[in-house]
């Protein structure tokens, strides 16, 4: 993560501190208080689809983080020049370009993962998080905070994805990142992998339980509905 | 009884406010109300407290389940000895079944009530009696060979995600016991389908009888409906299947008791059977002429006595919480369950037992059905008033 945060430091010409309170909020809020999946309830579809195993989930999370961060950055930089009536189209062009880049890179360097993610990389375009953050944040904020907001939302999304996929992979196939973690003697004693975890509804149950736990723990979320 | 009362009275101060064990008040309260009629009275405003409280309702259902349970226990033993070709007395059958089923019941009650008491503790409310019936229904819907840890897992799942998440007994929109079965069905399909229905613990010096097949009539009927046991056997329950589902007769005895006491809705029970029968007749009309043994040619009443149809109609569909509430709604709800079950059985061989899925499906639709029934009534009356 540090490499990505450091890169734009040169470009930004900040009047306020680089990591002022507001910027820190933009970066870290999406991790918990304003998590894109569990609080904003965006991007659920891909969270159900790509979380059967941890590896594709991590790649997917990275892809979404890059796309949200850079589309936020680009749209925020040109936000004053975008005519209001065609802004969605302009945003889509930016997002589609970035998604195509991610897709091509995956196809070139990680073909097997790319096949596993299949259509869901292309569908980052329609991932509600990307458009949601563009509309809700980048259209009205400076580039640097927008970039941080994109990174933060990508991380928040990724955190849930990795959490869900870890549970699903451990209980569904007894492995973690492809390595066996459930010891053989448990199988010998009669333990069986849980087939429900391989089906998309399992992700719904896990995310639901996560939201339950999060809201019971975080007093800020109690009145959010 | 007197000694028990005295014992409870003696330890009670410990669980009151300020007592040593105040934290465990809910657990104490649960045990006390389980053993004795609570002496709660109403206060503040005009109330009528009926003698038929939740506990008595639940016990009525338990009593209605007893014939099914006893027959299920007997049948497990009967099927076991039949598979090895051993002549056995009724007592031997009952004993074998009891040894196999008692652990399932104990685990189901233990795990479910444990979670229930835990939640009551955390939320500071009294433990409800709702699990009494659920805990009995869960083993009855499962094959006798289900591993105990799976039963425990399913009980915990259904209490937490089927009930407590929505606010406890009375707030669940799906039948918790069926949810537990659906969970196991999708999580461990190998343990809930195929040839798991008979306990095949080896008998000393005996092998399985020649040509033994562990498939249920629902699995057989799909290819050739004439290969099922005779209708009489299916009605009486001398067939393979989940512990409680095989006997239509016992379910009907339970239904008579439920209807007599007013706990189960006769509209739902009747309309489920009606829906299944009419759909079966409809299938006969559609049946392909070139395949004379196809399931669609099966007599319509076959569907009512096969598998868990009667069990589901009597004990599951009538669950007062998750069923439709309006009288017209109950007719629609039941009819759709019956019709949908037969459709699933005929057209989707992957889910030979359609009863579970269709009850859960129409549990979800019950509020919608009620909404339209109520709305129709409002519109009708408005029209009359505005004329």
């Amino acid at each position: 993560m540090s490499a990505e945060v450091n890169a734009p430091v040169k470009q930004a010409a900040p009047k306020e501190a680089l990591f002022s309170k507001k910027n820190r909020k933009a970066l870290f809020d999406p991790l918990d208080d304003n998590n894109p999946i569990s609080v904003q309830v965006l991007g659920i579809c891909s969270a159900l689809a790509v979380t059967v195993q941890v590896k594709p989930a991590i790649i997917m999370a990275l892809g979404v983080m890059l796309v949200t961060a850079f589309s936020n950055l680009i749209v925020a930089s040109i936000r004053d020049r975008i005519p209001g009536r065609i802004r969605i189209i302009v945003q889509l062009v930016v997002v589609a370009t970035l998604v195509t880049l991610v897709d091509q890179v995956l196809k070139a360097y990680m073909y097997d993962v790319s096949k596993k993610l299949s259509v869901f990389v292309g569908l980052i375009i329609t991932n509600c998080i990307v458009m949601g953050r563009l509309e809700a944040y980048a259209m009205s904020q400076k580039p640097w905070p927008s970039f941080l907001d994109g990174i933060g939302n990508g991380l928040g999304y990724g955190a849930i994805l990795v959490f869900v996929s870890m549970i699903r992979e451990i209980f569904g196939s007894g492995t973690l990142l492809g390595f066996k973690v459930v010891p053989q003697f448990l199988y010998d004693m009669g333990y069986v992998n849980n087939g429900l975890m391989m089906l998309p509804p399992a992700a719904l149950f896990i995310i639901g339980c996560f939201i339950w736990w999060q809201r019971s723990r975080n007093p800020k979320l109690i009145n959010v509905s | 009884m007197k000694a028990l009362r005295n014992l409870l009275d003696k330890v009670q101060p410990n669980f009151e406010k300020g007592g040593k064990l105040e934290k465990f008040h809910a657990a104490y309260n649960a045990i006390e109300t389980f053993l004795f009629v609570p002496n709660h009275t109403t206060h503040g405003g005009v109330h009528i407290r009926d003698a038929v409280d939740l506990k008595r309702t639940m016990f009525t259902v338990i009593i209605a389940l007893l014939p099914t349970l006893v027959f299920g226990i007997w049948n497990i033993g009967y099927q076991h000895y039949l598979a090895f070709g051993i002549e056995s007395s009724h007592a031997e059958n009952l004993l074998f079944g009891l040894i196999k089923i008692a652990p399932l019941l104990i685990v189901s009650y233990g795990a479910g009530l444990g979670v229930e008491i835990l939640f009551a503790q955390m939320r500071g409310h009294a433990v409800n009696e709702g699990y009494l019936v659920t805990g009995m229904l869960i083993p009855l819907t499962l094959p006798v060979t289900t591993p105990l840890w799976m039963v425990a897992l399913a009980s915990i799942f259904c209490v937490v995600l089927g009930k407590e998440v929505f606010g406890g007994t009375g707030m669940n929109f799906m039948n918790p016991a069926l949810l537990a079965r659906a969970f196991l069905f999708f999580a461990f399909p190998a343990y809930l389908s195929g040839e798991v229905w008979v306990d095949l613990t080896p008998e000393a010096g005996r092998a399985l009888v020649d040509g033994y097949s562990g498939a249920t009539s629902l699995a057989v009927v799909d290819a050739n409906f004439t290969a099922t046991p005779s209708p009489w056997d299916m009605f009486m329950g001398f067939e393979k299947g989940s512990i409680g589902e095989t006997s239509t007769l016992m379910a009907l005895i339970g239904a008579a008791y439920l209807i007599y006491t007013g706990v189960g809705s006769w509209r739902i029970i009747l309309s489920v059977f009606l829906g299944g029968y009419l759909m079966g007749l409809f299938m006969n009309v559609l049946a392909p002429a070139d395949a004379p043994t196809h399931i669609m040619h099966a007599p319509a009443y076959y569907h009512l006595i096969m598998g868990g149809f009667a069990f589901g109609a009597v004990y599951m569909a009538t669950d007062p919480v998750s069923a439709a509430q309006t009288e017209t709604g109950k007719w629609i709800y039941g009819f759709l369950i019956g019709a949908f079950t037969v459709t699933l059985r005929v057209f989707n061989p992957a889910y030979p037992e359609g009863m579970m899925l269709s009850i859960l499906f129409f549990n979800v639709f019950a509020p919608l059905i009620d909404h339209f029934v109520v709305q129709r009534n409002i519109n009708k009356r408005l029209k009359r008033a505005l004329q």
Side-chain angles (χ1 to χ4, degrees):
Chain A
M1 189 199 113
S2 60
E4 283 143 16
V5 179
N6 286 339
V9 168
K10 293 168 218 141
Q11 312 164 5
K15 290 197 179 71
E16 54 178 318
L18 258 188
F19 287 99
S20 67
K21 205 169 166 217
K22 181 177 158 249
N23 288 354
R24 258 182 295 148
K25 196 165 150 15
L27 181 60
F28 292 118
D29 244 22
L31 289 184
D32 185 4
D33 294 350
N34 196 19
N35 189 290
I37 291 186
S38 67
V39 180
Q40 302 175 41
V41 198
L42 299 174
I44 295 283
C45 357
S46 55
L48 302 192
V50 299
T51 51
V52 179
Q53 286 170 324
V54 177
K55 197 178 168 197
I58 293 177
I59 308 282
M60 182 72 182
L62 280 178
V64 170
M65 186 170 81
L66 289 178
V67 172
T68 20
F70 284 98
S71 62
N72 264 7
L73 178 72
I74 294 170
V75 169
S77 329
I78 57 171
R79 69 184 188 282
D80 297 332
R81 293 165 205 278
I82 303 176
R85 294 173 67 180
I86 57 160
R87 65 180 196 286
I88 302 282
I89 299 171
V90 176
Q91 289 165 4
L92 268 182
V93 170
V94 173
V95 177
T97 315
L98 289 166
V99 169
T100 312
L101 270 176
V102 170
D103 194 24
Q104 293 298 318
V105 169
L106 281 184
K107 272 193 183 135
Y109 294 104
M110 294 182 206
Y111 188 65
D112 53 331
V113 179
S114 156
K115 273 190 92 169
K116 238 179 223 156
L117 290 174
S118 68
V119 71
F120 287 96
V121 175
L123 284 181
I124 295 179
I125 301 175
T126 56
N127 192 319
C128 322
I129 297 174
V130 182
M131 292 298 286
R133 292 327 291 174
L134 285 178
E135 279 287 295
Y137 201 89
M139 284 302 285
S140 56
Q141 301 284 340
K142 294 209 178 82
W144 171 241
S146 301
F147 181 75
L148 289 183
D149 181 78
I151 294 273
N153 275 289
L155 281 178
Y157 170 81
I160 302 274
L161 240 63
V162 171
F163 169 74
V164 174
S165 61
M166 267 165 72
I167 294 184
R168 285 182 73 180
E169 191 173 341
I170 291 176
F171 291 105
S173 20
T175 58
L176 192 59
L177 279 168
F179 297 106
K180 231 175 159 183
V181 288
V182 175
Q184 185 60 40
F185 73 84
L186 274 182
Y187 287 110
D188 296 340
M189 278 163 61
Y191 174 80
V192 190
N193 286 332
N194 191 327
L196 185 68
M197 286 291 165
M198 307 299 279
L199 304 171
L204 209 62
F205 290 135
I206 297 169
I207 293 176
C209 289
F210 179 82
I211 292 177
W212 182 15
W213 171 77
Q214 193 190 21
R215 300 213 165 181
S216 65
R217 189 192 57 94
N218 191 338
K220 281 184 207 162
L221 296 178
I222 283 174
N223 288 326
V224 180
S225 57
Chain B
M1 246 11 206
K2 194 81 204 268
L4 209 57
R5 182 71 258 176
N6 287 341
L7 178 74
L8 281 171
D9 285 342
K10 211 173 116 196
V11 297
Q12 189 186 15
N14 288 330
F15 296 98
E16 294 295 307
K17 256 211 159 82
K20 276 184 293 194
L21 300 167
E22 191 195 329
K23 274 193 200 142
F24 301 102
H25 179 78
Y28 169 79
N29 192 26
I31 293 168
E32 194 199 358
T33 53
F34 183 74
L35 293 171
F36 294 98
V37 177
N39 54 351
H40 299 159
T41 48
T42 55
H43 47 83
V46 181
H47 277 79
I48 297 174
R49 190 179 267 277
D50 197 90
V52 181
D53 57 356
L54 187 59
K55 188 165 52 167
R56 193 175 288 186
T57 312
M58 293 301 171
F59 260 104
T60 312
V61 184
I62 293 282
I63 294 171
L65 274 168
L66 281 181
T68 300
L69 177 70
V70 173
F71 183 85
I73 289 175
W74 179 87
N75 191 42
I76 291 304
Y78 173 72
Q79 293 293 341
H80 169 79
Y81 289 118
L82 194 67
F84 288 99
I86 300 173
E87 291 277 330
S88 60
S89 67
H90 292 314
E92 279 172 324
N93 290 342
L94 280 172
L95 186 67
F96 182 87
L98 199 61
I99 292 170
K100 293 294 168 189
I101 292 172
L104 292 175
L105 277 170
I106 292 168
V107 167
S108 151
Y109 273 118
L113 282 179
V115 179
E116 192 119 348
I117 289 175
L118 196 74
F119 268 90
Q121 276 312 347
M122 277 170 14
R123 294 187 169 160
H125 64 66
V127 178
N128 250 315
E129 290 88 355
Y131 195 75
L132 276 183
V133 172
T134 311
M136 173 85 89
L137 283 175
I138 292 175
L140 287 181
T141 58
L142 295 177
V144 65
T145 54
T146 319
L148 292 179
W149 67 273
M150 288 184 190
V151 180
L153 196 66
S155 311
I156 294 170
F157 179 87
C158 88
V159 171
V160 175
L161 287 185
K163 228 162 71 172
E164 291 300 335
V165 155
F166 302 109
T169 307
M171 306 290 191
N172 48 304
F173 69 95
M174 282 192 193
N175 186 322
L178 269 187
L179 203 62
R181 189 183 200 274
F183 170 77
L184 287 182
F185 183 80
F186 287 105
F188 309 107
Y191 289 79
L192 252 80
S193 46
E195 311 211 339
V196 297
W197 310 101
V198 180
D199 189 285
L200 295 178
T201 323
E203 289 282 333
R206 300 299 290 250
L208 286 180
V209 289
D210 284 342
Y212 168 79
S213 153
T216 60
S217 27
L218 279 171
V220 175
V221 78
D222 220 34
N224 179 358
F225 79 86
T226 54
T228 55
S230 71
W232 177 248
D233 279 0
M234 291 199 284
F235 177 75
M236 291 301 286
F238 306 132
E239 55 167 343
K240 301 168 193 77
S242 302
I243 296 168
E245 75 172 6
T246 55
S247 176
T248 308
L249 177 67
M250 295 301 157
L252 288 180
I253 293 173
Y257 185 69
L258 283 180
I259 293 169
Y260 172 70
T261 53
V263 170
S265 158
W266 64 269
R267 289 181 180 83
I268 294 180
I269 299 177
L270 187 65
S271 58
V272 173
F273 278 104
L274 204 65
Y277 189 72
L278 290 182
M279 198 51 156
L281 287 182
F282 184 61
M283 290 297 166
N284 288 347
V285 176
L286 291 185
D290 55 339
T293 59
H294 191 273
I295 181 172
M296 288 171 101
H297 283 293
Y301 68 89
Y302 262 49
H303 287 290
L304 311 187
I305 53 179
M306 267 191 314
F309 194 97
F311 185 81
V314 173
Y315 300 112
M316 297 291 195
T318 54
D319 174 12
V321 181
S322 54
Q325 307 291 326
T326 51
E327 303 297 2
T328 321
K330 283 176 181 164
W331 282 106
I332 303 172
Y333 165 84
F335 188 87
L336 287 175
I337 288 180
F340 199 67
T341 303
V342 173
T343 318
L344 263 182
R345 280 180 179 177
V346 170
F347 290 120
N348 196 341
Y351 301 128
E353 181 49 287
M355 203 60 196
M356 168 183 84
L357 292 172
S358 51
I359 292 177
L360 285 176
F361 190 58
F362 287 105
N363 277 172
V364 178
F365 274 93
L368 188 71
I369 296 172
D370 279 340
H371 170 81
F372 283 122
V373 170
V374 170
Q375 209 59 44
R376 206 184 118 245
N377 195 35
I378 291 174
N379 289 345
K380 215 166 70 185
R381 297 189 66 161
L382 265 181
K383 226 180 192 170
R384 207 162 55 205
L386 293 176
Q387 257 171 7

